[in-house]
Amino acid sequence: MNLHNPLTDLPAANQLPAPAPAEAPGTPAQRAFREAVAQVEGLRQRLQELQQEQAEARRRYWQQVGPAAQVVVQAREALFAPLEEALLLGYFSRLEEQQITGFIVGNARALQDRFGEDASAVLRKYAPRRRMDEADETPSPAAPTEPVDSSLPPHEQAAAAARARRKTKQQKAEEAAAQATRAAEQQLLSNTKDLYRQLARAHHPDLARDEATQQHRTQLMQRITEAYETNDLYTLLQLLSDTTPTSATDENVLTRYTQALQQQQTELKQQLNELKYGANGFSGSTGKKREQEIRQLKRLLRAEAEYLQHIFRCIQEPAGLREVLRELAAEGHATL
């Protein structure tokens, strides 16, 4: 008598032949287009998540550090008046006046470079030798400037504005090249009108026979029209991928759409890298280590504010300023 034992008679699961994965339907151009749409969607989602994460981390950071930094900014700004008045007294030697001018310039650069404050007027007045360089590196008043994100804390808004003013020729050339690339991309994608017409022909509500389908198509047409009016190519391509059989689209057109999406992938990856590692990003340690760094930074900022306030009291009288100049020169400091 032969009894069937399923535990011993059946092959193990890892011994069963695995079915080969079915190849995605469509031509290579159609598959490449769908894959490009999915990759752009993933990058856009990651970028949005990272922006939210960094915005929250930045908010917490400046909530703790911002007040201490603002005290230092105010203390540095208070030094300008007595230092500038000292230059008008005729009390100091030419060498001492040069020292005072150096302190004014150094203080202005600290405010601008470390805290993002606008000190360009002071630098133009007291650093004339750099005026031509600054004219080359700063946009003219009539030149359009990038808007500063109003959701950032005031301290970071000032820093972003200062960075925009200090852009070098190389940065401007890179930006011009990026703009040219975007212009070429937009020219490549200028057939959004054709894409809009294709989607409209496929999904126009008047082509629906029943009321439910007509309502669905009405909502869809609203999205299509909004994307077309804002020149949102990605949304149009996503709608094309989601709602229209790619077999109905010319292969050459799909290839151009795929190239445009690949360009968007490159730009999105650059934005992600800038957020993670660039000057405008906000990354680093977390948890206890971040708290230790914040406490240390607050201690340093408080010590700096106390030192600057002490200097401010000392330089109210010419004799006190002269003593400060001597002490700093003896220590080898060219600025505060």
Side-chain angles (χ1 to χ4, degrees):
M1 181 176 181
N2 295 324
L3 295 177
H4 173 65
N5 187 344
L7 297 179
T8 58
D9 295 347
L10 294 179
N14 57 5
Q15 297 176 349
L16 294 174
E23 186 177 356
T27 65
Q30 294 166 0
R31 292 196 297 271
F33 170 70
R34 289 194 296 267
E35 181 180 353
V37 170
Q39 289 178 349
V40 169
E41 174 61 24
L43 287 169
R44 282 163 64 106
Q45 181 66 27
R46 177 58 188 142
L47 181 63
Q48 182 179 6
E49 292 173 355
L50 186 59
Q51 288 171 337
Q52 293 173 350
E53 292 172 5
Q54 294 204 358
E56 177 60 22
R58 188 180 288 109
R59 184 193 65 79
R60 292 196 305 267
Y61 179 83
W62 284 113
Q63 189 176 25
Q64 299 178 69
V65 177
Q70 188 59 39
V71 174
V72 174
V73 168
Q74 293 171 354
R76 285 192 171 276
E77 289 176 339
L79 295 176
F80 285 127
L83 289 173
E84 290 182 289
E85 289 174 3
L87 292 175
L88 304 176
L89 295 177
Y91 176 85
F92 298 95
S93 67
R94 179 167 299 192
L95 179 59
E96 289 172 331
E97 288 180 351
Q98 290 176 354
Q99 283 183 278
I100 295 171
T101 301
F103 291 160
I104 292 174
V105 171
N107 194 44
R109 293 202 192 287
L111 282 169
Q112 181 169 275
D113 298 338
R114 290 180 53 207
F115 300 97
E117 299 297 316
D118 184 5
S120 56
V122 176
L123 291 173
R124 282 194 298 270
K125 184 176 179 180
Y126 293 99
R129 285 176 296 179
R130 288 178 56 94
R131 196 171 296 170
M132 294 303 297
D133 296 336
E134 290 176 352
D136 289 340
E137 295 181 2
T138 7
S140 63
T145 56
E146 296 180 4
V148 177
D149 187 356
S150 58
S151 65
L152 295 175
H155 189 78
E156 286 209 14
Q157 291 186 41
R163 283 193 298 268
R165 288 191 298 271
R166 297 196 305 272
K167 287 177 180 174
T168 63
K169 289 182 178 180
Q170 181 180 0
Q171 288 173 317
K172 289 182 180 180
E174 292 173 353
E175 288 183 354
Q179 289 178 355
T181 301
R182 286 193 292 269
E185 177 187 349
Q186 289 303 320
Q187 185 175 3
L188 174 67
L189 305 176
S190 60
N191 52 2
T192 50
K193 182 179 291 187
D194 296 335
L195 181 54
Y196 169 74
R197 289 173 176 172
Q198 178 181 350
L199 289 168
R201 283 195 300 268
H203 305 292
H204 200 283
D206 293 345
L207 301 178
R209 296 183 178 180
D210 59 275
E211 185 176 351
T213 305
Q214 190 174 32
Q215 291 178 353
H216 172 71
R217 289 194 172 193
T218 299
Q219 296 175 354
L220 187 58
M221 274 303 301
Q222 288 177 350
R223 291 184 60 195
I224 294 170
T225 303
E226 289 174 0
Y228 172 66
E229 290 177 348
T230 57
N231 202 27
D232 185 355
L233 174 79
Y234 171 73
T235 298
L236 290 173
L237 292 176
Q238 187 182 40
L239 290 169
L240 177 68
S241 175
D242 293 343
T243 62
T244 304
T246 50
S247 57
T249 307
D250 182 77
E251 293 274 317
N252 293 330
V253 174
L254 277 181
T255 300
R256 290 201 302 272
Y257 291 161
T258 302
Q259 291 173 352
L261 289 168
Q262 289 170 346
Q263 177 63 33
Q264 287 193 345
Q265 289 177 39
T266 300
E267 294 179 359
L268 288 168
K269 289 176 181 177
Q270 290 175 348
Q271 293 179 39
L272 283 168
N273 287 334
E274 288 174 1
L275 272 181
K276 289 180 179 178
Y277 312 113
N280 296 329
F282 194 87
S283 58
S285 56
T286 57
K288 292 184 178 179
K289 187 175 180 181
R290 168 58 62 84
E291 293 301 322
Q292 292 174 354
E293 292 173 352
I294 289 177
R295 285 195 296 270
Q296 176 66 9
L297 180 56
K298 289 168 70 175
R299 283 194 294 268
L300 293 174
L301 288 170
R302 283 195 294 267
E304 182 178 355
E306 292 173 2
Y307 169 73
L308 293 170
Q309 290 162 358
H310 168 71
I311 294 294
F312 176 78
R313 291 189 294 268
C314 291
I315 66 176
Q316 295 304 304
E317 297 295 334
L321 176 53
R322 174 168 283 170
E323 185 62 27
V324 169
L325 295 176
R326 289 173 178 171
E327 290 180 1
L328 291 175
E331 295 174 3
H333 297 307
T335 186
L336 296 171

